[in-house]
Amino acid sequence: MNSFFIPNLKLSMYRFVKFPPFLLIALSAFIGFSCSSGDDDEPVVADTTIATEFSEVNQKFEDLDNLTLAVLEESGLGARKTETNSPDFCASTEFVMDEANKTIVIDFGDGCVSPNGVSRKGKIMIKYSGNLLIPSANIVTTFDGYEVNGYKVEGTRTLTNIGLDLVSSTVTIAVKIENGKITWPDGGFVTINSNEVREVKLGSSGYEATITGTASGNSKEGSGYTAEITEALKLSQSCIESGVYNPTSGLIEFTYKSVKMTLDYGTGTCDKSATISYPGGVKEITFD
């Protein structure tokens, strides 16, 4: 085979365009930005399950508060005034009051169903310093195997009187939940720690409460959340005793998985519906 030589071939192979170093850096940055910029345009996916889980947790504690206030009233220690006098207790529920140690135990035994069809079991244990209508009085509630409709309730809930207006019949109560935990029948659970302020207006037809505050904890899947009441929640005794434990109005803003969303309970109707708004959408939800 004949060999041949092409002049300047070696040189020509190295005579492709030569970029200055700073231009290569700029070009690399541009290419990197172009490849990743599409990710920023992806729509945010909001996991709204936290709204229903959080509301479920609150429902259990609202039911608890209603029972606690009913017992305190019957014991002459209450911050509740009503003419109906129809607490939702089973006929077999036992009450043990120890005035010397300032404790009350509500014992539902191995389980019973209330007049409103609510199933409860276990014990609610109340420790009080005095009549809740007295400023600085506090009520501390803990649990022993307590369940409501199959949901196990744990933690410590403290009510403290921080103000009383006799003219408007309004008592202001600080409400704190520490190490709160609600376990679902399927074994999943949500944790909560919260600080609230409740203005409870007492009347002949029952109480009405206005609530502000914040909360945090973990969802059933273990992701952290925060919640802040951005428009005061409204609750009424008549609505709770009808079996509707969620607020009738007000807004809660959640931050969950880095996404903000707002739960809107409506404008005052006693029902089990609400609306949740999140980036790119709105969803109607109905509570059990």
Side-chain angles (χ1 to χ4, degrees), residues 4 122 129 169 204 210 218 239 260 283:
F4 59 91
S129 66
S169 297
S204 59
T210 301
N218 290 325
C239 192
K260 290 186 180 296
K283 182 179 179 181

Side-chain angles (χ1 to χ4, degrees), residues 128-145:
Y128 61 90
S129 66
N131 193 307
L132 192 54
L133 290 176
I134 299 175
S136 298
N138 66 75
I139 308 293
V140 180
T141 305
T142 53
F143 313 93
D144 181 6

Side-chain angles (χ1 to χ4, degrees), residues 57-58 60-65 68 125 127 139-143 154-159 174-178 192 194 196 198 211 235:
V57 168
N58 274 340
K60 302 303 176 278
F61 282 109
E62 292 306 331
D63 175 65
L64 168 70
D65 278 354
T68 301
M125 298 174 293
K127 176 75 173 178
I139 308 293
V140 180
T141 305
T142 53
F143 313 93
E154 298 175 84
T156 301
R157 188 170 176 88
T158 303
L159 311 180
V175 182
K176 185 174 185 177
I177 298 177
E178 298 173 281
I192 182 172
S194 67
E196 295 178 349
R198 299 188 174 210
I211 307 169
L235 287 170

Side-chain angles (χ1 to χ4, degrees), residues 67-262:
L67 298 179
T68 301
L69 292 174
V71 170
L72 293 176
E73 182 188 29
E74 291 296 314
S75 305
L77 300 165
R80 162 174 156 163
K81 181 180 178 183
T82 175
E83 294 177 347
T84 59
N85 194 29
S86 58
D88 191 35
F89 294 108
C90 314
S92 61
T93 304
E94 295 183 357
F95 305 89
V96 179
M97 184 173 184
D98 183 343
E99 294 188 48
N101 292 308
K102 295 185 176 181
T103 62
I104 301 173
V105 176
I106 308 171
D107 190 351
F108 296 98
D110 294 331
C112 63
V113 179
S114 75
N116 281 341
V118 180
S119 173
R120 298 185 179 91
K121 64 183 294 186
K123 298 177 182 179
I124 298 172
M125 298 174 293
I126 301 169
K127 176 75 173 178
Y128 61 90
S129 66
N131 193 307
L132 192 54
L133 290 176
I134 299 175
S136 298
N138 66 75
I139 308 293
V140 180
T141 305
T142 53
F143 313 93
D144 181 6
Y146 177 64
E147 295 183 14
V148 53
N149 287 335
Y151 291 77
K152 185 177 182 180
V153 182
E154 298 175 84
T156 301
R157 188 170 176 88
T158 303
L159 311 180
T160 304
N161 183 329
I162 59 174
L164 177 64
D165 186 340
L166 294 175
V167 176
S168 63
S169 297
T170 301
V171 58
T172 302
I173 301 174
V175 182
K176 185 174 185 177
I177 298 177
E178 298 173 281
N179 301 315
K181 180 180 178 181
I182 301 295
T183 302
W184 268 242
D186 63 8
F189 61 87
V190 173
T191 62
I192 182 172
N193 288 280
S194 67
N195 285 283
E196 295 178 349
V197 173
R198 299 188 174 210
E199 293 187 355
V200 183
K201 185 175 179 59
L202 311 175
S204 59
S205 60
Y207 65 81
E208 294 182 347
T210 301
I211 307 169
T212 57
T214 60
S216 62
N218 290 325
S219 67
K220 286 182 71 175
E221 72 168 37
S223 298
Y225 71 85
T226 61
E228 178 181 4
I229 299 171
T230 54
E231 181 179 301
L233 306 179
K234 305 286 187 180
L235 287 170
S236 69
Q237 179 183 335
S238 60
C239 192
I240 290 173
E241 291 189 342
S242 73
V244 179
Y245 298 100
N246 50 279
T248 57
S249 65
L251 303 174
I252 302 178
E253 182 179 272
F254 295 96
T255 300
Y256 185 56
K257 297 180 179 179
S258 301
V259 178
K260 290 186 180 296
M261 58 194 85
T262 300

